[in-house]
Amino acid sequence: MATDRATFAFLTVMLAAPVAAQEPLSAIDWLSQSVATPAVLPSVVEPPATTSVLPEEVAVTVLGGPSVDAVGLLSPQVTGLPAALWGLGRSTEIASMIGKERVESLPALRDLLLTLLLAEATPPSDSGTGGVLLIARIDKLLDMGALDQANALLNVAGKDEPDLFRRSFDVGLLTGAEDRGCRAMVDAPGLAPTFPARIFCLARSGDWNAAALTLRTAQVLGYVTAEEDALLSRFLDPDLFEGEPPLPVPARVTPLTWRMFEAIGEPLPTSTLPLAFAHAELRPTAGWKAQIDAAERLARAGAIPANVLLGLYTERKPAASGGVWDRVAAFQKLEDALNTGDPATIAAVLPETWARMAEAELEVPFAELYGESLRSLSLTGEADRIAFLIGLLSEDYESTALSRQPLDAREGFLIGLARGDLTGTTPPDSLARAIVPAFGTQQPAHEFTDLLDQNRLGEALLLAVEQIESGLQGDLAGVTKGLVLLRHVGLETTARRTALELMLLERRG
């Protein structure tokens, strides 16, 4: 009886709420429509004033009004960035810049972007209570596959608002914590779950009768699409559809639909879905190859620690060959060689392992794992050259450079980059020639100084990332401008590592 009353109460709320299908899509169009957005009352239209005492460009906000845009995980003491990171910038413009940043970035630039997204900072002057900048930061974290960081930011900000809850619910769906999201949906009276989310959560709690009643009501009222109806019906009673052909893959796959397809025995591959979906393959229920494929994808994007990849690569012996299995086999050979401590044995297997990692664009995670141990070995020939390059891609890039006598002009240039001093070096190619001015006396371009004059350091850094990324597409002037800005504002380590990655990694699109 209590269940029937709860279901009736839910249906009453849903009938009064706007139909979920009529809601605008989020900035990330794969978010589940898990809760209904409350109807917004139309604002009163005031007659235009004949004169204004405010300049057109002045932003206004509620004095003393709290803003969730200030929320962050990293204090200024940790990031080294000022609290007034956004200065006189506008929330919507900053959010737009964040949204445009590429996910497939150089690791050093991606780390810088991650720092900006997680930084605790004074919100822009026009920041109200809507959380425009916070939502943009969370969406970019989701876009980057950084689900742990996104979830931590959501926990600090609170998840009672529909837009924040939707993101938290989807993180739970992709990481196997959906039951927590379902409980939160019940405990927060301000959240009106949509029919698919309500049905899913009722079934997850074991209340199949209430789930079936809710679906039948939704069918009668036309509050589920034919596509949703087919999926929910199979989700609730798959035996009725035994022998039926598989459902067509929906044009828009959300975490909620993905989980229900998995539940009915028709799992959708995540390789063609947004990066965040790869986390679902890291659960123990996934097969070993699926876990490795997902971990490689996430490690390539810097979304998981390199040790996760190490654990999966060494979990067991590969039972096949080709593709990922050749990579696993080569990795395990190097692990075995390192355990012997014999430089000759290590030198024999390192070139193949490095080639396998490079073909998967996993050079930096590999360097994180082995840069320090390889630097301590007395290697010769090709293995020695590879170990040097691996060291330059690791956190110990400067120590690697200081202990190296260059074998040619290119190595001399790389050593100069790692030390931050290119005096006496010869740039080996056009990209290197674009890097040289940034390590001299060149000053920031006017587009950066205009931002810095208004204390808009955050936007200047976002622009620098964008400019350097344009260099990967052929605009070498952007490389110079971006690196100059990074060094000018004191981000020397980021500038050096970015320059080294530009020279050592093949990232052209």
Side-chain angles (χ1 to χ4, degrees):
M1 183 64 68
T3 296
D4 291 342
R5 283 198 298 270
T7 303
F8 177 78
F10 160 73
L11 295 176
T12 302
V13 170
M14 287 304 302
L15 288 172
V19 180
Q22 295 175 346
E23 298 172 16
L25 291 179
S26 165
I28 292 184
D29 61 6
W30 48 262
L31 282 174
S32 302
Q33 299 294 329
S34 50
V35 290
T37 300
V40 179
L41 295 176
S43 58
V44 177
V45 178
E46 298 286 352
T50 55
T51 60
S52 173
V53 296
L54 291 178
E56 186 179 351
E57 295 301 317
V58 171
V60 295
T61 188
V62 179
L63 289 175
S67 174
V68 292
D69 288 336
V71 168
L73 301 178
L74 305 177
S75 69
Q77 290 75 25
V78 173
T79 65
L81 300 173
L85 185 61
W86 307 112
L88 299 178
R90 292 176 174 274
S91 299
T92 54
E93 293 176 4
I94 299 168
S96 177
M97 289 186 73
I98 290 173
K100 288 192 301 184
E101 293 289 355
R102 293 178 66 232
V103 175
E104 302 83 4
S105 180
L106 293 171
L109 295 180
R110 191 172 54 234
D111 289 345
L112 174 58
L113 176 58
L114 194 62
T115 299
L116 288 172
L117 297 177
L118 297 177
E120 185 182 273
T122 304
S125 58
D126 69 341
S127 178
T129 58
V132 171
L133 186 52
L134 174 65
I135 291 290
R137 289 156 58 204
I138 292 172
D139 282 357
K140 181 53 64 174
L141 289 169
L142 296 177
D143 200 21
M144 297 169 69
L147 296 195
D148 288 341
Q149 295 90 331
N151 194 46
L153 200 55
L154 284 161
N155 286 335
V156 173
K159 297 170 286 191
D160 293 339
E161 293 297 323
D163 280 340
L164 295 177
F165 178 81
R166 288 175 61 207
R167 288 153 175 82
S168 175
F169 187 66
D170 277 1
V171 169
L173 287 167
L174 294 173
T175 56
E178 62 276 3
D179 290 344
R180 191 182 309 152
C182 286
R183 288 194 298 271
M185 194 181 291
V186 173
D187 295 339
L191 299 174
T194 56
F195 278 98
R198 173 67 173 180
I199 293 166
F200 174 83
C201 285
L202 285 170
R204 287 289 305 175
S205 69
D207 200 342
W208 296 94
N209 290 334
L213 172 61
T214 304
L215 176 58
R216 287 196 296 272
T217 304
Q219 291 166 339
V220 170
L221 297 174
Y223 276 9
V224 289
T225 65
E227 190 178 72
E228 291 171 335
D229 187 3
L231 177 57
L232 288 165
S233 296
R234 292 197 187 200
F235 174 68
L236 292 180
D237 200 345
D239 292 341
L240 285 178
F241 301 89
E242 190 171 349
E244 294 281 333
L247 290 174
V249 178
R252 178 176 174 270
V253 178
T254 69
L256 184 56
T257 58
W258 191 90
R259 284 303 311 274
M260 286 195 284
F261 265 90
E262 181 189 50
I264 65 174
E266 299 177 22
L268 303 176
T270 62
S271 57
T272 57
L273 296 176
L275 181 60
F277 284 78
H279 282 271
E281 302 285 15
L282 296 181
R283 294 171 301 151
T285 53
W288 187 35
K289 183 178 184 301
Q291 288 180 317
I292 294 174
D293 287 338
E296 286 189 339
R297 193 179 172 200
L298 290 165
R300 188 180 305 122
I304 57 172
N307 276 324
V308 175
L309 197 59
L310 170 65
L312 286 169
Y313 274 162
T314 57
E315 185 175 299
R316 67 190 84 155
K317 292 296 181 183
S321 61
V324 67
W325 300 124
D326 289 345
R327 199 151 46 247
V328 171
F331 193 96
Q332 291 184 3
K333 286 179 184 177
L334 179 64
E335 270 285 297
D336 293 340
L338 286 168
N339 288 333
T340 69
D342 177 34
T345 303
I346 296 167
V349 299
L350 180 58
E352 180 190 359
T353 307
W354 177 244
R356 297 293 182 188
M357 293 297 108
E359 70 185 10
E361 297 188 352
L362 292 167
E363 302 99 324
V364 172
F366 185 81
E368 291 176 11
L369 292 170
Y370 297 114
E372 183 177 357
S373 57
L374 290 173
R375 187 165 63 88
S376 64
L377 297 172
S378 298
L379 301 175
T380 58
E382 179 69 1
D384 173 60
R385 184 190 68 82
I386 292 172
F388 169 60
L389 299 181
I390 292 171
L392 291 180
L393 290 171
S394 74
E395 291 184 355
D396 296 320
Y397 66 91
E398 190 168 9
S399 298
T400 299
L402 291 173
S403 62
R404 179 80 172 184
Q405 289 297 319
L407 301 181
D408 52 33
R410 181 178 177 82
E411 281 201 3
F413 185 80
L414 293 172
I415 290 171
L417 275 184
R419 298 175 59 188
D421 183 3
L422 294 176
T423 305
T425 64
T426 302
D429 53 32
S430 58
L431 177 57
R433 287 192 290 275
I435 291 172
V436 169
F439 287 84
T441 58
Q442 186 161 320
Q443 295 299 302
H446 69 87
E447 57 260 48
F448 292 109
T449 56
D450 289 347
L451 292 170
L452 294 177
D453 288 344
Q454 299 178 57
N455 292 327
R456 296 160 68 180
L457 175 60
E459 288 175 84
L461 292 174
L462 290 172
L463 179 59
V465 172
E466 184 180 323
Q467 293 267 20
I468 297 171
E469 287 290 351
S470 71
L472 296 177
Q473 314 302 320
D475 179 16
L476 295 182
V479 169
T480 307
K481 291 180 181 179
L483 289 175
V484 166
L485 185 279
L486 293 179
R487 298 193 76 219
H488 179 76
V489 300
L491 296 179
E492 182 69 19
T493 296
T494 301
R496 292 190 200 180
R497 296 197 72 175
T498 299
L500 287 168
E501 289 168 3
L502 284 165
M503 293 295 298
L504 297 176
L505 304 179
E506 286 295 327
R507 304 288 190 268
R508 293 293 183 269

